[in-house]
Structure formats: structure tokens, C-alpha cells
Amino acid sequence: IQGKTVLEGLDIAREAGGRNRPLVKEFNGIEASEQIVIELKPRGQQTDASTLPVISGIEVIQED
């Protein structure tokens, strides 16, 4: 996020307790002005469906 690695090696299914279950991750203290840049990278060198990044939604909340 914003050019900084905030999470590596996430196994969504394992961490959520199974497939097709929601998983929420929260990252605080991210500074942004007009744009927020989020880069997702696949695990390893392969790009089959099992290694591609998955994201369903993003919520942005301004911190005080």
C-alpha cells in the first residue's frame, strides 16, 4: 500500500478457516493525499488461478 509491503504470504482460505469464508484485514497509519495505490502480487512465479491475488472490496476510513 502506497509503495510499502504490508502483508506477505497470505493464505486466505487457511486464515479464514476454509474456502468461501470472509476475511478482513485492517491496515492503519497509511498516509495518502489524492490517491491510494494498492498493489497485489501473486505467490511465486506461476500465474494460475490458485496463485492469483483475490480481493472483493476495500473500505477506506479517514483517521484523525
Side-chain angles (χ1 to χ4, degrees):
I1 301 174
Q2 300 299 78
K4 296 179 182 174
T5 300
V6 295
L7 185 63
E8 287 187 77
L10 175 65
D11 183 329
I12 297 170
R14 184 182 71 218
E15 195 157 329
R19 296 178 57 108
N20 299 318
R21 298 188 59 154
L23 177 65
V24 175
K25 290 292 185 184
E26 184 174 312
F27 303 99
N28 297 307
I30 306 295
E31 292 190 30
S33 55
E34 293 186 23
Q35 291 185 14
I36 297 174
V37 178
I38 300 171
E39 182 180 4
L40 305 174
K41 296 181 180 180
R43 294 185 311 227
Q45 300 298 321
Q46 298 178 3
T47 56
D48 61 34
S50 69
T51 62
L52 293 177
V54 175
I55 192 164
S56 296
I58 297 172
E59 179 179 22
V60 178
I61 301 172
Q62 182 177 343
E63 293 180 299
D64 293 328

